[in-house]
Amino acid sequence: MDKNNFDIRLNQLFEEYNVLINRQNVTQQSGNGIFERYEYPVLTRNHAPVFWLYDLNYETNPHLMTRLGINTTFNAGAIKLNGRYFMIARVEGFDVKSFFAVAESPDGINFWKFWDRPIVMPVTEDPEKNVYDIRLTLHEDGWIYGLFCAERKDQSNPEDSSAALASCGIARTKDLKSWERLPDLKSSAVQQRNCVLHPEFVNGKYMIYTRPQKSFIETGDSGICAGFTYSMEEPSVENEIMVDPRMYHTVKEVKNGQGPAPLKTPVGWLHLAHGVRRTAAGLRYTLYLFLTDLHEPWRVTKRPGGHFIEPLEDERIGDVSNVVFSSGWIHDDNGTVFIYYASSDTRMHVATTTIEKLVDFVLNTPEDPGRTQLCVAQRDELILQNLEILKEQYPNIRY
């Protein structure tokens, strides 16, 4: 490629990039009354700036080849600061190493753009091989904490090149730019995933949602748990409390994990979590909600049955198919809630709702009765009630 064609192609790359990040998103036509989905993902691999991928020096890259490719952008933490909306995405390169990068939007839905440079996260004395799935919490102590999975090779099993250890990495910041790395969380569990810091002190302690594991993949008899520590400089939890256990033949029969930090409402703490069940096509990840007590945030008060968000249509296709996963949501001042979720470990989406609707959902959606006979009786009761309403109030509707 000569220099003239190099320059033409380079300009085309930037033009395509700018068209993408300036595209206006639109809500999908059909909704479920609970939340609104949007037509386009808000972050994809194509949102990565051109200068992240290519060597733009003609002398060293005359064919304008991709040098450091981006595979996926997913599982982002989220926060609103100074009137702007931010996600810290898990960005995975062609080398299968993930890193964190900040993306910014003026309204939480449109015009998402990565900052020019990713986060170079400081490491501990035992540097991890990989980091991912950060949850952001603006704590009442004034710091923004990021809790994430820090993955290292399991040195006790050197012959297995996939044997790994997962721990809870912790860092904090005031501005999302300068990060202070803190020690990894200590606990009695062999491994930890899906750790999230509660936004407020509980009885003078930091409360951390955990998911103890017996191995890198298997959770054993675990579920969403909680532990307490006096210090984030020396974080250590003991005697973790079970908050939300796994349950046979439900959306969380194989495993479950806390999503973002819970939202405080007048009726309790609102939680978004992921649940996993085994199917003939593999594991299926969906999102579900539950409510805990305002003063005892480890005590569940409401468990609406079934899932809240599931992978639909193109969301079902990707690196790890049939998955939705959320690490971030934002409760805006006007009551709007932005739910940021990844589909199939590949891209980021947003769904919007209100705190009023979410509270209605958790308070008034019936719990799972537990077995088919009771579930169909529950549905039949609703059907009979609705048929009576249709007969009396809507006689002109055909059904």
Side-chain angles (χ1 to χ4, degrees):
M1 186 187 300
D2 62 28
K3 183 62 164 63
N4 183 59
N5 284 324
F6 179 95
D7 291 344
I8 291 172
R9 178 58 186 142
L10 181 60
N11 276 281
Q12 287 176 339
L13 290 173
F14 277 96
E15 287 173 5
E16 292 166 1
Y17 166 78
N18 280 291
V19 167
L20 176 65
I21 66 170
N22 288 295
R23 179 177 61 188
Q24 189 86 25
N25 219 331
V26 292
T27 56
Q28 292 183 349
Q29 292 296 320
S30 58
N32 57 11
I34 309 166
F35 55 81
E36 297 288 342
R37 270 181 157 99
Y38 285 77
E39 197 69 29
Y40 307 116
V42 290
L43 277 183
T44 69
R45 59 191 279 173
N46 295 326
H47 283 76
V50 175
F51 48 83
W52 284 16
L53 312 172
Y54 297 87
D55 175 358
L56 303 184
N57 187 336
Y58 179 72
E59 299 300 323
T60 53
N61 192 19
H63 298 289
L64 201 54
M65 295 179 178
T66 299
R67 294 299 194 204
L68 295 174
I70 297 297
N71 186 44
T72 51
T73 54
F74 62 114
N75 293 6
I79 194 168
K80 186 179 181 183
L81 292 174
N82 303 319
R84 305 283 290 184
Y85 301 79
F86 299 91
M87 282 192 283
I88 297 185
R90 173 182 179 178
V91 182
E92 184 183 277
F94 283 6
D95 56 10
V96 203
K97 308 299 186 296
S98 296
F99 59 88
F100 298 131
V102 180
E104 183 174 350
S105 165
D107 62 9
I109 299 170
N110 299 291
F111 316 128
W112 284 96
K113 183 180 180 181
F114 279 112
W115 286 0
D116 284 352
R117 299 177 63 197
I119 296 171
V120 181
M121 185 63 73
V123 297
T124 65
E125 293 180 357
D126 181 16
E128 58 273 324
K129 180 70 73 172
N130 207 18
V131 294
Y132 44 88
D133 300 353
I134 193 168
R135 276 80 160 181
L136 300 173
T137 301
L138 177 56
H139 195 270
E140 69 170 310
D141 72 0
W143 285 97
I144 300 167
Y145 289 88
L147 274 62
F148 51 89
C149 183
E151 179 186 326
R152 298 174 176 88
K153 177 71 178 72
D154 183 358
Q155 300 298 341
S156 69
N157 192 2
E159 300 303 318
D160 184 351
S161 62
S162 66
L165 297 172
S167 61
C168 171
I170 304 173
R172 64 185 180 184
T173 182
K174 297 282 189 177
D175 56 9
L176 308 183
K177 297 176 183 177
S178 299
W179 291 83
E180 176 189 2
R181 184 68 183 265
L182 302 172
D184 289 358
L185 178 68
K186 293 181 179 179
S187 74
S188 57
V190 176
Q191 304 198 43
Q192 287 281 6
R193 281 182 183 265
N194 301 309
C195 294
V196 186
L197 180 63
H198 190 73
E200 297 182 0
F201 289 110
V202 178
N203 299 324
K205 299 178 183 179
Y206 294 91
M207 176 175 168
I208 299 176
Y209 299 98
T210 62
R211 213 272 303 281
Q213 305 220 163
K214 67 177 185 180
S215 69
F216 185 68
I217 299 296
E218 298 300 323
T219 63
D221 295 327
S222 180
I224 299 173
C225 298
F228 302 89
T229 180
Y230 282 107
S231 168
M232 294 302 286
E233 286 82 12
E234 298 179 5
S236 177
V237 299
E238 299 178 358
N239 304 319
E240 291 161 79
I241 303 168
M242 179 64 74
V243 176
D244 189 45
R246 298 180 306 150
M247 190 171 297
Y248 167 67
H249 213 83
T250 66
V251 297
K252 53 181 182 177
E253 68 175 6
V254 175
K255 50 187 173 182
N256 59 343
Q258 179 77 20
L263 301 179
K264 192 174 187 179
T265 78
V267 297
W269 290 97
L270 185 65
H271 295 252
L272 179 63
H274 65 267
V276 186
R277 69 180 180 91
R278 187 171 281 110
T279 75
L283 298 180
R284 183 175 193 250
Y285 280 67
T286 59
L287 301 177
Y288 68 95
L289 295 172
F290 63 93
L291 194 72
T292 60
D293 184 77
L294 277 176
H295 305 292
E296 298 177 332
W298 60 88
R299 184 168 62 84
V300 176
T301 57
K302 286 288 183 179
R303 282 191 178 94
H307 66 249
F308 171 65
I309 294 179
E310 77 277 41
L312 290 178
E313 299 176 354
D314 289 348
E315 296 174 353
R316 299 184 66 250
I317 302 168
D319 260 25
V320 184
S321 294
N322 210 13
V323 169
V324 287
F325 191 97
S326 180
S327 307
W329 58 2
I330 293 173
H331 179 198
D332 223 338
D333 296 337
N334 64 0
T336 300
V337 178
F338 300 84
I339 302 168
Y340 298 101
Y341 66 97
S343 67
S344 297
D345 282 14
T346 299
R347 60 194 80 82
M348 288 300 304
H349 306 262
V350 65
T352 55
T353 184
T354 66
I355 204 72
E356 178 186 4
K357 288 181 178 180
L358 293 177
V359 168
D360 184 323
F361 180 87
V362 296
L363 293 182
N364 297 308
T365 301
E367 294 196 17
D368 184 342
R371 56 188 175 87
T372 293
Q373 181 190 32
L374 299 178
C375 289
V376 73
Q378 181 187 73
R379 189 178 300 275
D380 193 48
E381 181 181 356
L382 176 66
I383 291 169
L384 291 173
Q385 171 191 299
N386 286 338
L387 288 174
E388 192 66 27
I389 291 172
L390 287 169
K391 178 181 177 182
E392 294 182 359
Q393 300 181 30
Y394 304 97
N396 296 325
I397 290 181
R398 299 176 63 186
Y399 58 88

Short mmCIF file of all heavy atoms in Angstrom, two decimals, residues 43-48 52-53 66-74 90-99 114 317-320 343-348:
data_model
loop_
_atom_site.label_atom_id
_atom_site.label_comp_id
_atom_site.label_asym_id
_atom_site.label_seq_id
_atom_site.Cartn_x
_atom_site.Cartn_y
_atom_site.Cartn_z
N LEU A 43 -21.67 -0.44 23.89
CA LEU A 43 -20.23 -0.62 23.74
C LEU A 43 -19.97 -1.93 23.01
O LEU A 43 -20.51 -2.98 23.40
CB LEU A 43 -19.50 -0.66 25.09
CG LEU A 43 -19.14 0.64 25.79
CD1 LEU A 43 -18.37 0.32 27.07
CD2 LEU A 43 -18.32 1.57 24.90
N THR A 44 -19.14 -1.87 21.97
CA THR A 44 -18.74 -3.07 21.24
C THR A 44 -17.23 -2.99 20.99
O THR A 44 -16.58 -1.98 21.29
CB THR A 44 -19.46 -3.17 19.89
OG1 THR A 44 -18.97 -2.14 19.02
CG2 THR A 44 -20.97 -3.03 20.05
N ARG A 45 -16.68 -4.03 20.40
CA ARG A 45 -15.25 -4.01 20.04
C ARG A 45 -14.95 -2.88 19.07
O ARG A 45 -13.83 -2.35 19.05
CB ARG A 45 -14.85 -5.35 19.44
CG ARG A 45 -15.63 -5.73 18.19
CD ARG A 45 -15.40 -7.16 17.76
NE ARG A 45 -14.16 -7.30 17.02
CZ ARG A 45 -13.65 -8.47 16.65
NH1 ARG A 45 -14.26 -9.60 17.00
NH2 ARG A 45 -12.54 -8.53 15.95
N ASN A 46 -15.95 -2.48 18.28
CA ASN A 46 -15.73 -1.41 17.30
C ASN A 46 -15.70 -0.02 17.93
O ASN A 46 -15.36 0.95 17.26
CB ASN A 46 -16.82 -1.46 16.22
CG ASN A 46 -16.74 -2.72 15.39
OD1 ASN A 46 -15.65 -3.24 15.14
ND2 ASN A 46 -17.88 -3.26 14.99
N HIS A 47 -16.06 0.06 19.23
CA HIS A 47 -15.93 1.33 19.94
C HIS A 47 -14.49 1.59 20.39
O HIS A 47 -14.19 2.69 20.87
CB HIS A 47 -16.85 1.36 21.17
CG HIS A 47 -18.30 1.60 20.84
ND1 HIS A 47 -19.11 0.63 20.30
CD2 HIS A 47 -19.07 2.71 20.98
CE1 HIS A 47 -20.34 1.13 20.14
NE2 HIS A 47 -20.33 2.39 20.54
N ALA A 48 -13.64 0.60 20.29
CA ALA A 48 -12.24 0.81 20.64
C ALA A 48 -11.63 1.82 19.67
O ALA A 48 -11.78 1.70 18.46
CB ALA A 48 -11.47 -0.51 20.57
N TRP A 52 -5.88 2.33 19.35
CA TRP A 52 -5.65 1.19 20.24
C TRP A 52 -5.25 -0.05 19.44
O TRP A 52 -4.68 -0.98 20.01
CB TRP A 52 -6.93 0.85 21.01
CG TRP A 52 -7.27 1.77 22.15
CD1 TRP A 52 -6.78 3.02 22.40
CD2 TRP A 52 -8.21 1.49 23.19
NE1 TRP A 52 -7.36 3.55 23.52
CE2 TRP A 52 -8.24 2.62 24.03
CE3 TRP A 52 -9.03 0.41 23.48
CZ2 TRP A 52 -9.06 2.70 25.14
CZ3 TRP A 52 -9.86 0.48 24.60
CH2 TRP A 52 -9.87 1.61 25.42
N LEU A 53 -5.61 -0.09 18.18
CA LEU A 53 -5.53 -1.32 17.40
C LEU A 53 -4.39 -1.35 16.39
O LEU A 53 -3.80 -2.40 16.14
CB LEU A 53 -6.84 -1.52 16.63
CG LEU A 53 -8.15 -1.37 17.40
CD1 LEU A 53 -9.33 -1.39 16.44
CD2 LEU A 53 -8.28 -2.46 18.42
N THR A 66 -4.01 -4.53 11.66
CA THR A 66 -4.27 -4.56 13.10
C THR A 66 -3.08 -5.21 13.80
O THR A 66 -2.65 -6.30 13.42
CB THR A 66 -5.55 -5.36 13.40
OG1 THR A 66 -6.65 -4.75 12.76
CG2 THR A 66 -5.79 -5.45 14.89
N ARG A 67 -2.55 -4.53 14.79
CA ARG A 67 -1.41 -5.08 15.55
C ARG A 67 -1.86 -5.64 16.91
O ARG A 67 -1.42 -6.71 17.32
CB ARG A 67 -0.36 -4.00 15.77
CG ARG A 67 0.32 -3.50 14.51
CD ARG A 67 1.07 -4.60 13.79
NE ARG A 67 1.96 -4.07 12.78
CZ ARG A 67 2.39 -4.75 11.73
NH1 ARG A 67 1.98 -5.99 11.54
NH2 ARG A 67 3.21 -4.19 10.86
N LEU A 68 -2.71 -4.88 17.61
CA LEU A 68 -3.20 -5.31 18.93
C LEU A 68 -4.72 -5.28 18.88
O LEU A 68 -5.35 -4.26 19.16
CB LEU A 68 -2.67 -4.39 20.03
CG LEU A 68 -1.15 -4.40 20.27
CD1 LEU A 68 -0.76 -3.34 21.29
CD2 LEU A 68 -0.68 -5.78 20.73
N GLY A 69 -5.30 -6.42 18.51
CA GLY A 69 -6.74 -6.46 18.28
C GLY A 69 -7.55 -6.47 19.56
O GLY A 69 -7.07 -6.85 20.64
N ILE A 70 -8.81 -6.05 19.47
CA ILE A 70 -9.76 -6.11 20.56
C ILE A 70 -10.82 -7.14 20.21
O ILE A 70 -11.42 -7.09 19.13
CB ILE A 70 -10.42 -4.73 20.81
CG1 ILE A 70 -9.38 -3.70 21.24
CG2 ILE A 70 -11.54 -4.86 21.85
CD1 ILE A 70 -8.69 -4.00 22.55
N ASN A 71 -11.07 -8.06 21.11
CA ASN A 71 -12.04 -9.13 20.87
C ASN A 71 -13.43 -8.76 21.39
O ASN A 71 -14.42 -8.89 20.67
CB ASN A 71 -11.56 -10.42 21.54
CG ASN A 71 -12.43 -11.61 21.23
OD1 ASN A 71 -12.82 -11.80 20.09
ND2 ASN A 71 -12.76 -12.41 22.24
N THR A 72 -13.52 -8.30 22.66
CA THR A 72 -14.81 -8.07 23.29
C THR A 72 -14.74 -6.90 24.26
O THR A 72 -13.66 -6.55 24.77
CB THR A 72 -15.28 -9.32 24.06
OG1 THR A 72 -14.22 -9.76 24.93
CG2 THR A 72 -15.64 -10.45 23.12
N THR A 73 -15.90 -6.30 24.53
CA THR A 73 -16.03 -5.24 25.55
C THR A 73 -17.28 -5.56 26.36
O THR A 73 -18.40 -5.45 25.83
CB THR A 73 -16.16 -3.85 24.90
OG1 THR A 73 -17.25 -3.87 23.97
CG2 THR A 73 -14.90 -3.48 24.14
N PHE A 74 -17.13 -5.94 27.63
CA PHE A 74 -18.29 -6.45 28.36
C PHE A 74 -18.10 -6.31 29.87
O PHE A 74 -17.09 -5.78 30.35
CB PHE A 74 -18.57 -7.90 27.96
CG PHE A 74 -17.48 -8.91 28.26
CD1 PHE A 74 -17.69 -9.93 29.18
CD2 PHE A 74 -16.25 -8.87 27.60
CE1 PHE A 74 -16.72 -10.88 29.44
CE2 PHE A 74 -15.28 -9.82 27.85
CZ PHE A 74 -15.51 -10.82 28.78
N ARG A 90 -14.74 -4.32 30.88
CA ARG A 90 -13.75 -5.38 30.70
C ARG A 90 -13.48 -5.47 29.20
O ARG A 90 -14.37 -5.81 28.42
CB ARG A 90 -14.27 -6.70 31.23
CG ARG A 90 -13.37 -7.90 30.91
CD ARG A 90 -13.99 -9.18 31.42
NE ARG A 90 -13.17 -10.35 31.11
CZ ARG A 90 -13.46 -11.60 31.47
NH1 ARG A 90 -14.56 -11.84 32.15
NH2 ARG A 90 -12.65 -12.60 31.15
N VAL A 91 -12.29 -5.11 28.80
CA VAL A 91 -11.91 -5.14 27.39
C VAL A 91 -10.91 -6.28 27.21
O VAL A 91 -9.88 -6.33 27.88
CB VAL A 91 -11.27 -3.81 26.95
CG1 VAL A 91 -10.92 -3.85 25.47
CG2 VAL A 91 -12.21 -2.64 27.24
N GLU A 92 -11.25 -7.21 26.32
CA GLU A 92 -10.38 -8.37 26.11
C GLU A 92 -9.70 -8.26 24.75
O GLU A 92 -10.35 -8.05 23.73
CB GLU A 92 -11.20 -9.66 26.18
CG GLU A 92 -10.35 -10.92 26.06
CD GLU A 92 -11.21 -12.17 26.07
OE1 GLU A 92 -11.56 -12.63 27.17
OE2 GLU A 92 -11.52 -12.68 24.97
N GLY A 93 -8.38 -8.38 24.75
CA GLY A 93 -7.62 -8.33 23.52
C GLY A 93 -7.57 -9.68 22.84
O GLY A 93 -8.03 -10.70 23.36
N PHE A 94 -7.00 -9.69 21.64
CA PHE A 94 -6.80 -10.95 20.93
C PHE A 94 -5.91 -11.90 21.73
O PHE A 94 -5.92 -13.12 21.50
CB PHE A 94 -6.15 -10.69 19.56
CG PHE A 94 -7.10 -10.16 18.51
CD1 PHE A 94 -8.41 -9.82 18.82
CD2 PHE A 94 -6.67 -10.01 17.20
CE1 PHE A 94 -9.28 -9.34 17.85
CE2 PHE A 94 -7.52 -9.53 16.21
CZ PHE A 94 -8.83 -9.19 16.54
N ASP A 95 -5.13 -11.35 22.66
CA ASP A 95 -4.24 -12.17 23.48
C ASP A 95 -4.95 -12.79 24.68
O ASP A 95 -4.32 -13.41 25.54
CB ASP A 95 -3.04 -11.34 23.96
CG ASP A 95 -3.46 -10.08 24.71
OD1 ASP A 95 -4.65 -9.93 25.05
OD2 ASP A 95 -2.58 -9.22 24.96
N VAL A 96 -6.26 -12.60 24.79
CA VAL A 96 -7.11 -13.15 25.85
C VAL A 96 -6.80 -12.54 27.21
O VAL A 96 -7.22 -13.07 28.25
CB VAL A 96 -7.04 -14.70 25.92
CG1 VAL A 96 -8.29 -15.28 26.58
CG2 VAL A 96 -6.89 -15.31 24.54
N LYS A 97 -6.08 -11.45 27.25
CA LYS A 97 -5.89 -10.70 28.49
C LYS A 97 -6.92 -9.58 28.55
O LYS A 97 -7.13 -8.85 27.58
CB LYS A 97 -4.48 -10.10 28.56
CG LYS A 97 -3.34 -11.07 28.32
CD LYS A 97 -3.32 -12.19 29.36
CE LYS A 97 -2.09 -13.06 29.18
NZ LYS A 97 -2.08 -13.78 27.87
N SER A 98 -7.58 -9.47 29.69
CA SER A 98 -8.55 -8.41 29.89
C SER A 98 -7.90 -7.23 30.59
O SER A 98 -6.96 -7.39 31.38
CB SER A 98 -9.73 -8.91 30.74
OG SER A 98 -10.44 -9.93 30.07
N PHE A 99 -8.41 -6.05 30.30
CA PHE A 99 -7.99 -4.85 31.02
C PHE A 99 -9.21 -3.96 31.20
O PHE A 99 -10.26 -4.18 30.58
CB PHE A 99 -6.85 -4.12 30.29
CG PHE A 99 -7.18 -3.68 28.88
CD1 PHE A 99 -7.76 -2.44 28.63
CD2 PHE A 99 -6.89 -4.51 27.80
CE1 PHE A 99 -8.06 -2.04 27.34
CE2 PHE A 99 -7.18 -4.11 26.49
CZ PHE A 99 -7.77 -2.86 26.27
N PHE A 114 -14.73 5.69 24.59
CA PHE A 114 -13.64 5.34 25.49
C PHE A 114 -12.70 6.53 25.68
O PHE A 114 -12.46 7.30 24.74
CB PHE A 114 -12.83 4.16 24.95
CG PHE A 114 -13.45 2.82 25.20
CD1 PHE A 114 -13.94 2.05 24.16
CD2 PHE A 114 -13.53 2.30 26.50
CE1 PHE A 114 -14.49 0.80 24.38
CE2 PHE A 114 -14.09 1.06 26.74
CZ PHE A 114 -14.57 0.30 25.67
N ILE A 317 -25.93 -14.58 21.01
CA ILE A 317 -24.80 -15.04 20.21
C ILE A 317 -23.54 -14.27 20.61
O ILE A 317 -23.55 -13.04 20.72
CB ILE A 317 -25.08 -14.83 18.71
CG1 ILE A 317 -26.35 -15.58 18.30
CG2 ILE A 317 -23.90 -15.28 17.87
CD1 ILE A 317 -26.86 -15.21 16.94
N GLY A 318 -22.45 -14.98 20.81
CA GLY A 318 -21.19 -14.32 21.14
C GLY A 318 -20.15 -15.31 21.59
O GLY A 318 -20.26 -16.52 21.38
N ASP A 319 -19.12 -14.79 22.26
CA ASP A 319 -18.02 -15.63 22.71
C ASP A 319 -18.50 -16.74 23.65
O ASP A 319 -18.02 -17.87 23.60
CB ASP A 319 -16.96 -14.77 23.42
CG ASP A 319 -15.79 -14.46 22.52
OD1 ASP A 319 -15.97 -14.48 21.30
OD2 ASP A 319 -14.68 -14.21 23.04
N VAL A 320 -19.40 -16.40 24.58
CA VAL A 320 -19.99 -17.38 25.49
C VAL A 320 -21.50 -17.18 25.38
O VAL A 320 -22.07 -16.31 26.03
CB VAL A 320 -19.52 -17.18 26.94
CG1 VAL A 320 -20.09 -18.28 27.83
CG2 VAL A 320 -18.00 -17.19 27.02
N SER A 343 -24.02 -9.01 26.89
CA SER A 343 -24.62 -10.19 26.29
C SER A 343 -23.54 -11.10 25.73
O SER A 343 -22.63 -10.66 25.03
CB SER A 343 -25.61 -9.81 25.18
OG SER A 343 -24.96 -9.24 24.07
N SER A 344 -23.63 -12.35 26.16
CA SER A 344 -22.77 -13.42 25.63
C SER A 344 -21.28 -13.07 25.69
O SER A 344 -20.52 -13.38 24.77
CB SER A 344 -23.20 -13.80 24.21
OG SER A 344 -24.51 -14.31 24.22
N ASP A 345 -20.88 -12.42 26.78
CA ASP A 345 -19.47 -12.07 27.02
C ASP A 345 -18.85 -11.34 25.83
O ASP A 345 -17.67 -11.54 25.52
CB ASP A 345 -18.66 -13.32 27.33
CG ASP A 345 -18.87 -13.80 28.76
OD1 ASP A 345 -19.83 -13.33 29.41
OD2 ASP A 345 -18.09 -14.64 29.24
N THR A 346 -19.63 -10.47 25.17
CA THR A 346 -19.17 -9.88 23.92
C THR A 346 -19.34 -8.38 23.85
O THR A 346 -18.44 -7.67 23.38
CB THR A 346 -19.91 -10.55 22.73
OG1 THR A 346 -19.61 -11.94 22.74
CG2 THR A 346 -19.49 -9.94 21.40
N ARG A 347 -20.47 -7.85 24.32
CA ARG A 347 -20.81 -6.43 24.11
C ARG A 347 -21.65 -5.91 25.27
O ARG A 347 -22.19 -6.72 26.04
CB ARG A 347 -21.58 -6.28 22.78
CG ARG A 347 -22.85 -7.07 22.80
CD ARG A 347 -23.51 -7.27 21.45
NE ARG A 347 -22.91 -8.33 20.68
CZ ARG A 347 -23.19 -9.63 20.85
NH1 ARG A 347 -24.05 -10.02 21.79
NH2 ARG A 347 -22.62 -10.54 20.10
N MET A 348 -21.79 -4.61 25.37
CA MET A 348 -22.58 -3.98 26.43
C MET A 348 -23.87 -3.38 25.88
O MET A 348 -23.89 -2.79 24.81
CB MET A 348 -21.78 -2.88 27.12
CG MET A 348 -20.65 -3.35 28.01
SD MET A 348 -21.19 -4.40 29.39
CE MET A 348 -22.40 -3.34 30.19
#
